[in-house]
Amino acid sequence: MGQRKKVTIIIAVIVGAIMLSAGAAVLSRYIERRSEERLIYYNGIQYRYRDDISTFLVIGIDDNDNEEESSLGEYYRNTSQSDFLLLVVFDESAHSYRIIQINRDTMADIHVYDRLGDYAGDELAQIALSHTYGFGAEDSCENTVYAVSHLLYDAKIDNYMSITTDVVPVLNDLAGGVDVLVEDDFEGVDDTLVMGQTVHLEGQHALVYIRARRAMADDSNEARMRRQNTYLLALREALMNEFIEDPSFAVSAYSAVMDHTVTDVDFDDIPGLAYKLATYEFEGVVGIEGESVAEERYAAFYPDESALQELIISTFYEPEE
């Protein structure tokens, strides 16, 4: 896959005896299915894809004008990119969940279409660009779902929701504001966000906090992701407190932002999703290890394949008994 580091990968679907080199780490981006069971070998151990895992992909869109279908009509493209990608992974047996944070600059295979909407193959590109193929609604979200799933060795993604960044101040204020420790230098960007101080974010300040990048002293996406992670944890706690106090809060909060979302989740399922987020044990946010490289025209993040495989195994698989 382009410049991405390769590891020897072998697919093993158990039909009969399969011989493997001792200790070989094997995992395939195209894990075959037999009777809906996905079996692999990894470091000499056979694993089964867990059936008690459910997933929910949150797609943060950085262009507020393109979440509705494009008026271009004949052009199967839009200008919206995925500013942040969060995959919520629920362990339904343990009643817990973790969030996998995906760098928008991650180099991944994305579906590419011509201007008439005909599939033109896959291309190695920043995963953020997967959303630009389509009219900006369900089709663009499905392109992003494919890219994320493929990046994560075909992990199943059950549902998705895209949100435009202008919903952040709305959710922030519905939660009563969010307290964060400012660990970046915002001088010249927003002088009210003083490095080293804990601030109470309200309104547009919340959006500035998570979105600022280009004018920052550290303008790397990794720095912004750390900041988004800090904010996400604080916002999650504030929202969950509101929900626990009043379960109807989930419906009212979603109603306040639904015009800025695209999702395949039924409205009636929102309270159940909120209940799991509020009551399941939260295991934290997990990033993908890798290396950022300054390409000629853009920043590129290349995942460490060995570390990524370990993350996939620990999250989605269990040893076959």
Side-chain angles (χ1 to χ4, degrees):
M1 294 175 54
Q3 301 180 47
R4 300 178 66 177
K5 294 182 180 179
K6 296 290 187 178
V7 294
T8 301
I9 54 177
I10 304 172
I11 182 66
V13 176
I14 307 307
V15 177
I18 298 180
M19 301 301 293
L20 296 171
S21 300
V26 292
L27 192 62
S28 173
R29 289 202 172 280
Y30 301 94
I31 298 173
E32 296 180 7
R33 299 168 183 255
R34 292 287 177 88
S35 302
E36 296 303 316
E37 295 180 345
R38 299 204 290 184
L39 303 173
I40 62 170
Y41 272 102
Y42 185 76
N43 283 341
I45 300 174
Q46 181 176 302
Y47 291 87
R48 178 188 299 275
Y49 195 91
R50 297 178 57 180
D51 59 9
D52 58 350
I53 293 291
S54 62
T55 54
F56 184 82
L57 180 64
V58 180
I59 308 168
I61 305 303
D62 67 355
D63 187 334
N64 299 335
D65 298 325
N66 286 279
E67 202 55 29
E68 296 297 326
E69 291 197 2
S70 171
S71 60
L72 294 177
E74 70 272 21
Y75 294 107
Y76 198 70
R77 292 290 299 273
N78 68 87
T79 60
S80 300
Q81 297 182 18
S82 304
D83 197 47
F84 63 85
L85 293 163
L86 303 171
L87 182 65
V88 185
V89 183
F90 294 102
D91 184 327
E92 305 293 357
S93 295
H95 288 183
S96 63
Y97 68 97
R98 64 168 53 179
I99 296 175
I100 299 176
Q101 186 180 31
I102 300 170
N103 190 323
R104 72 181 304 280
D105 296 334
T106 299
M107 300 301 289
D109 286 331
I110 67 173
H111 280 337
V112 176
Y113 298 83
D114 64 24
R115 70 177 192 172
L116 298 180
D118 295 324
Y119 176 61
D122 279 11
E123 178 180 299
L124 185 66
Q126 291 173 315
I127 200 168
L129 298 177
S130 58
H131 193 273
T132 66
Y133 287 93
F135 294 120
E138 287 85 357
D139 50 1
S140 292
C141 288
E142 289 165 4
N143 289 338
T144 301
V145 165
Y146 165 79
V148 172
S149 174
H150 189 66
L151 172 71
L152 301 180
Y153 289 86
D154 293 333
K156 183 180 178 182
I157 297 179
D158 296 297
N159 298 106
Y160 65 79
M161 178 183 290
S162 72
I163 58 175
T164 55
T165 52
D166 58 349
V167 308
V168 172
V170 178
L171 289 176
N172 184 89
D173 292 355
L174 282 172
V178 171
D179 294 330
V180 294
L181 174 63
V182 180
E183 299 181 281
D184 297 280
D185 184 0
F186 281 85
E187 185 177 359
V189 178
D190 188 331
D191 293 337
T192 67
L193 300 175
V194 181
M195 188 164 63
Q197 292 188 5
T198 296
V199 299
H200 185 70
L201 297 175
E202 293 182 336
Q204 291 298 315
H205 282 101
L207 185 55
V208 172
Y209 181 82
I210 70 163
R211 195 177 189 183
R213 177 182 178 185
R214 299 301 180 191
M216 299 288 290
D218 183 350
D219 64 355
S220 68
N221 192 50
E222 286 77 5
R224 182 170 61 174
M225 287 176 64
R226 289 192 296 270
R227 200 162 63 245
Q228 290 173 343
N229 188 8
T230 297
Y231 178 79
L232 172 66
L233 296 177
L235 178 63
R236 172 196 166 274
E237 183 175 359
L239 290 172
M240 292 307 100
N241 287 339
E242 293 289 337
F243 174 75
I244 292 172
E245 183 175 336
D246 177 13
S248 66
F249 174 78
V251 174
S252 60
Y254 180 64
S255 297
V257 302
M258 64 184 300
D259 289 342
H260 303 280
T261 68
V262 174
T263 183
D264 61 352
V265 176
D266 291 335
F267 184 84
D268 292 341
D269 292 333
I270 294 299
L273 177 62
Y275 178 80
K276 289 202 297 186
L277 290 169
T279 60
Y280 279 22
E281 180 182 358
F282 180 49
E283 297 180 339
V285 180
V286 181
I288 297 176
E289 297 180 24
E291 179 183 12
S292 290
V293 178
E295 302 284 8
E296 183 177 349
R297 293 181 292 110
Y298 53 82
F301 177 82
Y302 293 95
D304 181 299
E305 292 293 345
S306 295
L308 179 57
Q309 288 183 4
E310 292 285 352
L311 175 61
I312 297 303
I313 290 292
S314 65
T315 303
F316 298 101
Y317 286 84
E318 61 186 357
E320 171 75 341
E321 297 181 354

